Amino acid sequence: MEKFLNYLKDSKFVVPYCGRCNAPAWPPVDCCYTCMSKVKLKRTKSLKGHLIEYTTSYHLSKPLVFGIIEIDGIKLVGSVHSSVAPHVGMILKMKKCGISDNGTPYYEFD
């Protein structure tokens, strides 16, 4: 888990995969959820995914869209920045990731 967070601090997105059964271990952990074997960090095949669901937050000074995006079989919650209105199924690409000042991981999609 510490290695995953170090990659994220460097704005690099990796996913833990089981070294034995190759299943993604998401949310990130050190051992596979399926067979309890050690995981290895791998870059995803693509940073593109599709929007499963979304909502708009009006809490801030300007509306902000958040969504659930599926990439390579894992689901992430991230902010969605798009010039077109969001819709379920739209293809998005991760444009930024990291750890915020308060220690929370974040993912931004375009």
Side-chain angles (χ1 to χ4, degrees):
M1 180 69 179
E2 185 177 340
K3 286 182 182 180
F4 170 81
L5 292 173
N6 288 335
Y7 274 99
L8 206 52
K9 285 177 188 174
D10 290 337
S11 300
K12 296 176 184 170
F13 184 67
V14 293
V15 176
Y17 282 91
C18 178
R20 183 173 167 206
C21 71
N22 205 36
W26 196 264
V29 290
D30 293 324
C31 294
C32 177
Y33 289 105
T34 305
C35 70
M36 299 306 290
S37 296
K38 291 249 183 219
V39 299
K40 297 177 182 180
L41 297 175
K42 296 181 186 178
R43 291 197 179 264
T44 59
K45 296 174 189 169
S46 170
L47 292 178
K48 290 183 180 178
H50 67 277
L51 186 62
I52 296 173
E53 192 60 61
Y54 68 94
T55 190
T56 303
S57 171
Y58 295 97
H59 178 69
L60 304 171
S61 59
K62 63 178 184 172
L64 185 59
V65 177
F66 292 94
I68 300 172
I69 298 92
E70 184 172 8
I71 297 177
D72 285 345
I74 64 165
K75 294 174 180 72
L76 299 166
V77 174
S79 57
V80 176
H81 308 273
S82 177
S83 59
V84 297
H87 60 276
V88 172
M90 78 184 296
I91 303 299
L92 296 168
K93 183 174 182 178
M94 185 184 296
K95 70 174 187 174
K96 192 174 179 185
C97 65
I99 305 283
S100 66
D101 291 339
N102 67 4
T104 306
Y106 67 87
Y107 308 97
E108 294 180 9
F109 293 88
D110 218 358

